[in-house]
């Protein structure tokens, strides 16, 4: 096992900053669409179902392209593959500047492809380079995901209004954050090489039987269900509030406020899980918080908006952080972490991709948001149960490889 740079050298600090900046770019290009959705629909004339497709396409990319990410990491090296992923994010963001529906959808697919690769490989980097700081780095990584989402949700509309930009260049502005991450991550491609020949060939720890392993499927279920509820809510929350009479700017701020609380939830969940020794209980409590938030939105969306968004943010932050922590902890080594991450995100995001489309379709069918919110509350029950199962201290690997060994 390589030495833990986080504890001994400045290299670990630089690497940690690079991981955080990459993570900051894994949500803004997607989340920024949500507060702009009304403007996009007005300008393009797209239906609510088509608008749901705009937010679903990246999730489909996450699911369909995740199996390729471990191969890219082994073939080109983890760091160059992550650099390429960020190039795709920046390129896709720029493509959406072109005034056509094809460019909008195509750029969204390219952004989704880049994020898909980074989603899978970054947990492996944490597993490999921060073995004694897994909880801390997972918390920082998850905080960065929510931090990027909070920025995108909260300042996209005000920033565009302040500069006087239409929705296309406003969305493209988030490519600047990607360029910063590219510049910071570039030195990592020189500092680190490909994985060892033994590891790449599978001679060290062959990944066998994971697709039949019950722990791997519990991790996958938890990842998928929390992603489904998160992306479905993120796609439609501003619209739910505006339909209830809230101003568009305020509705966007509500999503941002939720994401800000998500930062706290993302950082606190791994810490509490480690301190209490009961990550399953933390996962179940996170699901309960989200249920309470959705229930409040269904009954008094505007009057108690801040309370509902606080519950939602804390619960969602805890859930996403724990889903990443389970991937790292349930894997005995870097290759298993990448493979488990690929499996969880392949099936997890394909499941999550149904969320925005389904929520939009149910809304069109019922003409209100009460039934869609009840559906999300029902989904959170198996999410909590999957979290209890995924939290058990076992490895998603064949028994002879040490299933009972502590998961880190």
């Amino acid at each position: 096992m390589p030495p833990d740079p986080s504890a001994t050298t400045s290299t670990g600090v630089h690497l940690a900053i690079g991981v955080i900046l990459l993570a900051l770019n894994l949500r803004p290009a997607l989340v920024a669409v949500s507060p702009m959705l009304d403007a996009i629909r007005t300008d393009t004339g797209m239906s609510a179902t088509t608008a749901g497709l705009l937010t679903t396409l990246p999730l489909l990319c996450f699911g369909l392209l995740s199996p390729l990410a471990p191969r890219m990491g082994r073939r080109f090296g983890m760091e160059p593959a992550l650099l390429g992923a960020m190039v795709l994010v920046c390129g896709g963001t720029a493509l959406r500047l072109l005034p056509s529906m094809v460019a909008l959808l195509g750029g969204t697919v390219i952004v989704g492809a880049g994020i898909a690769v980074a989603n899978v490989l970054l947990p492996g980097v944490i597993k490999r380079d921060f073995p004694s700081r897994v909880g801390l780095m997972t918390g920082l990584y998850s905080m960065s995901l929510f931090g990027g989402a909070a920025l995108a949700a909260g300042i996209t509309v005000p920033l565009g209004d302040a500069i006087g930009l239409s929705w296309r260049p406003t969305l493209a502005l988030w490519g600047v954050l990607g360029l910063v991450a590219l510049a910071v991550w570039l030195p990592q491609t020189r500092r680190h090489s490909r994985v060892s020949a033994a590891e790449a060939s599978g001679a060290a720890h062959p990944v066998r039987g994971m697709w039949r392993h019950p722990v791997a499927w519990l991790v996958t279920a938890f990842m998928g269900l929390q992603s489904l509820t998160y992306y479905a809510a993120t796609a439609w929350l501003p619209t739910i509030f505006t339909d209830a009479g809230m101003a568009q700017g305020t509705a966007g701020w509500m999503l941002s406020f939720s994401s800000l609380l998500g930062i706290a939830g993302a950082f606190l969940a791994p810490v509490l899980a480690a301190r209490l020794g009961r990550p399953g209980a933390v996962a179940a409590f996170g699901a309960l918080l989200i249920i309470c938030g959705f229930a409040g939105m269904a009954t008094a969306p505007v009057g108690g908006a801040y309370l509902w968004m606080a519950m939602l943010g804390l619960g969602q932050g805890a859930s996403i952080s724990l889903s990443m922590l389970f991937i790292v902890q349930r894997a005995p080594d870097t290759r298993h972490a990448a493979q488990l991450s690929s499996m969880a995100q392949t099936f997890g995001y394909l499941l999550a991709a149904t969320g925005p489309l389904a929520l939009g379709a149910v809304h069109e069918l019922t003409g209100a948001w009460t039934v869609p919110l009840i559906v999300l509350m029902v989904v959170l029950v198996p999410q909590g149960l999957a979290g209890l199962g995924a939290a058990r201290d076992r490895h998603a690997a064949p028994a002879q490889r040490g299933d009972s060994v502590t998961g880190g």
Side-chain angles (χ1 to χ4, degrees), residues 24 32 58 96 131-132 136 201 206 209 231 262 282 294 307 310 331 344 364 384 395:
L24 275 172
R96 296 194 296 195
S132 65
L136 174 63
S201 65
Y231 283 104
V282 179
F294 285 146
L307 178 58
E364 286 193 338
H395 278 151

Side-chain angles (χ1 to χ4, degrees), residues 205-397:
H205 290 287
V207 179
R208 298 172 182 168
M210 184 172 293
W211 293 81
R212 300 184 300 274
H213 202 287
V215 174
W217 280 108
L218 286 169
V219 173
T220 297
F222 186 74
M223 165 65 79
L225 292 170
Q226 68 83 22
S227 296
L228 186 155
T229 56
Y230 172 77
Y231 283 104
T234 298
W236 293 109
L237 274 178
T239 302
I240 293 174
F241 281 123
T242 55
D243 285 354
M246 187 178 287
Q248 181 180 356
T250 306
W253 160 244
M254 285 295 109
L255 183 58
S256 180
F257 176 73
S258 174
S259 297
L260 288 172
L261 269 295
I263 295 173
F267 182 75
L268 290 174
V271 175
L272 287 175
R275 181 165 298 180
L276 300 176
R278 301 184 64 185
V282 179
F285 183 68
L288 180 61
L289 279 177
I290 302 173
I291 290 175
C292 292
F294 285 146
M297 290 184 63
T299 55
V302 177
Y306 277 97
L307 178 58
W308 315 143
M309 291 301 95
M311 291 179 174
L312 202 63
L314 289 171
Q316 289 177 333
S319 297
I320 184 63
S321 187
L322 289 173
S323 70
M324 297 299 170
L325 183 66
F326 292 155
I327 288 173
V328 176
Q329 288 187 330
R330 302 288 79 82
D333 52 50
T334 302
R335 289 198 68 231
H336 280 80
Q339 189 65 35
L340 180 56
S341 180
S342 172
M343 175 183 172
Q345 297 192 54
T346 295
F347 285 90
Y349 283 120
L350 286 176
L351 176 62
T354 65
L357 277 174
L359 215 64
V362 173
H363 170 62
E364 286 193 338
L365 183 64
T366 62
W369 288 107
T370 301
V371 174
L373 288 170
I374 291 174
V375 170
L376 290 179
M377 286 186 273
V378 171
V379 170
L380 283 155
V381 175
Q383 175 183 317
L385 294 175
L388 289 170
R392 295 184 61 189
D393 194 10
R394 298 178 297 168
H395 278 151

